[in-house]
Amino acid sequence: MKKRYLFVICAALAHIVSISGQNLLTNGDFESGGNGVGFNINSSFYNAISQPFSGSTSPGNFAVTSNPQPMNTNFFISGGDHTTGTGNMLVVDGTTTGGGQRFWRAGSNGGGICGLTVGATYTFSYWIKSVSIEVTNNNTRANIGYHFNNATNISLIAGFALAPLPDAGWQQVKYTFTPTNSCVNLELWDNNTNDIGNDFAIDDFELYAPPQP
């Protein structure tokens, strides 16, 4: 009888962990599709390119792909995604136009994430790496800005706004925030408008609720 009770308790705990550990973002690893599938890019200064690539990119070009190098054969570094090393990632040739041009917005139509609990603490994170051989200093590194509307207590708790140097590989960037509304828009842009370097890959977006009691 005691074993049966122990099994029930363990099953209940596992259920709680699975609920609290659910990623609230769709297609955060880019395996389910491109723009419009779980995320949205609608800036006129960001334009999708698709395979077969020409081997050259312009500022503002982006693609969901498994290797940056074919996009720009002279300047992009060969390498895999963060999730498995063989899957997809979002690769961006940073735009030279200012004004906070969004290269990623949560939600298939960019409308953010709803169903959040007001007053709770959520954790938002992503992984980023530089993909250009021209990234050599702070002036050439992508500098990722963010906007979370309907949110307070926004804190950077891991990583940096600057993309890592190429030799550092993937770096996780993590924020916590507290919703003031059940719907929160999560949006990212690149503050660097330099056309030298400023090229990056981003992968494994996650949004987690706080653990449930």
Side-chain angles (χ1 to χ4, degrees):
M1 187 65 70
K2 289 182 179 179
K3 290 183 178 179
R4 181 180 178 184
Y5 288 148
L6 181 61
F7 174 79
V8 172
I9 292 171
C10 290
L13 289 174
H15 177 65
I16 291 172
V17 170
S18 67
I19 291 175
S20 64
Q22 180 183 2
N23 184 5
L24 303 178
L25 298 178
T26 301
N27 195 29
D29 59 4
F30 301 103
E31 298 305 318
S32 299
N35 190 19
V37 182
F39 73 101
N40 183 271
I41 304 171
N42 73 340
S43 169
S44 61
F45 296 100
Y46 276 111
N47 301 288
I49 59 175
S50 57
Q51 301 186 50
F53 300 121
S54 68
S56 177
T57 58
S58 300
N61 287 163
F62 71 88
V64 171
T65 183
S66 60
N67 184 0
Q69 204 272 338
M71 293 175 60
N72 192 316
T73 54
N74 290 326
F75 296 104
F76 282 10
I77 302 166
S78 180
D81 75 328
H82 173 262
T83 314
T84 63
T86 58
N88 289 329
M89 64 194 116
L90 177 65
V91 179
V92 181
D93 186 329
T95 182
T96 54
T97 303
Q101 307 299 327
R102 273 55 168 171
F103 67 81
W104 183 89
R105 302 188 303 158
S108 296
N109 61 1
I113 303 300
C114 291
L116 306 185
T117 301
V118 174
T121 299
Y122 286 77
T123 303
F124 169 75
S125 66
Y126 59 86
W127 291 80
I128 186 171
K129 70 175 180 178
S130 295
V131 300
S132 172
I133 62 173
E134 297 181 296
V135 178
T136 57
N137 54 49
N138 288 354
N139 292 330
T140 55
R141 296 160 73 180
N143 184 358
I144 307 304
Y146 67 88
H147 176 71
F148 305 161
N149 82 324
N150 298 329
T152 59
N153 303 321
I154 302 170
S155 298
L156 176 64
I157 63 171
F160 305 94
L162 286 175
L165 293 172
D167 288 345
W170 288 101
Q171 169 190 282
Q172 187 179 32
V173 180
K174 187 181 295 186
Y175 292 88
T176 56
F177 67 90
T178 303
T180 59
N181 188 286
S182 61
C183 295
V184 174
N185 290 93
L186 307 172
E187 303 177 348
L188 300 179
W189 66 87
D190 183 3
N191 284 308
N192 189 353
T193 56
N194 195 333
D195 63 350
I196 302 299
N198 194 25
D199 309 310
F200 58 94
I202 201 161
D203 200 9
D204 289 332
F205 282 90
E206 296 178 333
L207 177 64
Y208 286 104
Q212 297 184 8

